[in-house]
Amino acid sequence: MTTPQKPRPLRLVALLRVSTVGQVDGYGLDAQERDVRKWARAAGHRIVKVCTDDAISGKAGDDERPGLADALQLVADHQADGILAPNLDRVARQLTQQEAILSVVWARGGRVFTADRGEHLPDDDDDPMRTFVRQVMGAAAQLERGLIVKRLKGGRRTKGEQGGYAYGAPAFGQKAVDGDLVDDDAELEVKALAEQWKAEGVSVRAICQRLNEAGHRSKRGGLWHPTTVARLLDPGARESARQQAARARAAAKERVELARADKVLGRLA
């Protein structure tokens, strides 16, 4: 009777990630590494390298995540047989990026494992449910994270509407103390001085020059500029600048997302 041969141990790259130093869910790098090593030992596989993305968002592309880029390169160079992550969320938070990264690994002949679910098999035309289940679970996880973010933003917005300090830099003349906005007397004196000069008919540019010559510093401790003086003296200008900055951030985010998708998909070429 022939004894069945044991499958050869695989060489796996452990891929770990935390978004911030104080990981919100408490699942830090040490705990992640402990889980993947435990799984590898139980499955009889060998971890050849641990690749870490520390304090990097799961939305970041592989070019912005050195740990992920290193892991993908090891698979492409056939120095590893696949990647092993604690869960798919640590591979990437967004479903589209997650799917693209899995496709890259599979296209290079690699395999994908997670400590919570074992191997994630490549898509198979004869088994469409495999793809469906994986993507539905990924979409559900993405929805859960989105709802958490929405609740956090809603809480901050409500606090701000009630006069509390929510987030961001307080306006000149205020400061955050123990989560609340309070007056900053030193800054209020500078603001009063600038308002007095404005009432006397002094131009914004001249007020800017006077503040700098007197050694008064802006909110961030730097020199005053005409735009920052205008925002100081005109709440409408401050709100307009805030809206303009928000639009610029949204446009920049869209450009970054498109660039990330192009770079990840470019690995399939």
Side-chain angles (χ1 to χ4, degrees):
M1 183 175 179
T2 304
T3 302
Q5 292 184 343
K6 289 185 179 180
R8 71 175 181 86
L10 297 177
R11 302 164 300 162
L12 300 178
V13 182
L15 180 61
L16 317 177
R17 178 185 64 79
V18 291
S19 297
T20 61
V21 175
Q23 186 70 21
V24 173
D25 58 10
Y27 196 31
L29 294 175
D30 291 341
Q32 292 178 39
E33 184 171 353
R34 182 180 64 247
D35 287 349
V36 295
R37 289 192 179 279
K38 179 180 178 181
W39 185 92
R41 284 194 302 269
H45 301 315
R46 180 167 60 94
I47 294 178
V48 295
K49 186 173 183 179
V50 176
C51 295
T52 300
D53 288 319
D54 192 357
I56 297 178
S57 168
K59 294 182 179 180
D62 63 325
D63 60 311
E64 300 169 279
R65 293 177 53 188
L68 174 60
D70 193 10
L72 294 177
Q73 193 61 55
L74 288 169
V75 173
D77 293 342
H78 303 292
Q79 297 180 27
D81 300 306
I83 64 172
L84 167 62
N87 51 55
L88 285 181
D89 180 63
R90 302 300 155 173
V91 175
R93 269 173 39 199
Q94 289 189 337
L95 178 60
T96 51
Q97 291 186 3
Q98 189 179 104
E99 288 290 300
I101 292 168
L102 295 181
S103 297
V104 169
V105 176
W106 291 330
R108 295 293 184 257
R111 298 167 69 177
V112 179
F113 300 86
T114 59
D116 63 339
R117 297 193 178 276
E119 183 169 11
H120 296 266
L121 297 172
D123 296 336
D124 185 347
D125 291 339
D126 293 330
D127 186 9
M129 283 297 294
R130 177 187 302 173
T131 303
F132 174 77
V133 171
R134 183 186 71 246
Q135 292 181 348
V136 166
M137 292 181 66
Q142 183 171 310
L143 173 61
E144 182 181 7
R145 290 189 297 271
L147 291 174
I148 292 173
V149 171
K150 180 182 178 181
R151 286 197 296 271
L152 291 173
K153 287 184 176 180
R156 290 196 297 264
R157 183 164 52 249
T158 299
K159 184 176 181 180
E161 291 171 351
Q162 294 174 347
Y165 174 62
Y167 57 91
F172 194 84
Q174 293 182 311
K175 59 184 177 180
V177 177
D178 296 330
D180 294 314
L181 286 178
V182 299
D183 289 342
D184 186 316
D185 293 336
E187 290 184 354
L188 286 176
E189 290 180 5
V190 174
K191 183 178 180 181
L193 184 60
E195 290 173 341
Q196 176 186 332
W197 287 336
K198 178 186 178 183
E200 295 172 356
V202 181
S203 69
V204 168
R205 190 172 295 277
I207 293 175
C208 174
Q209 183 176 350
R210 289 186 181 185
L211 289 174
N212 288 330
E213 289 176 349
H216 299 301
R217 292 295 174 256
S218 66
K219 189 70 175 180
R220 298 181 181 275
L223 295 176
W224 287 93
H225 298 279
T227 52
T228 52
V229 172
R231 290 199 295 269
L232 173 67
L233 298 174
D234 182 3
R238 176 180 173 85
E239 177 61 20
S240 177
R242 188 192 67 78
Q243 294 179 0
Q244 182 178 359
R247 289 193 294 270
R249 287 194 299 270
K253 180 180 178 180
E254 183 177 358
R255 290 194 298 270
V256 168
E257 292 294 339
L258 290 173
R260 286 171 179 167
D262 289 342
K263 289 176 181 178
V264 172
L265 292 176
R267 289 182 174 272
L268 294 173

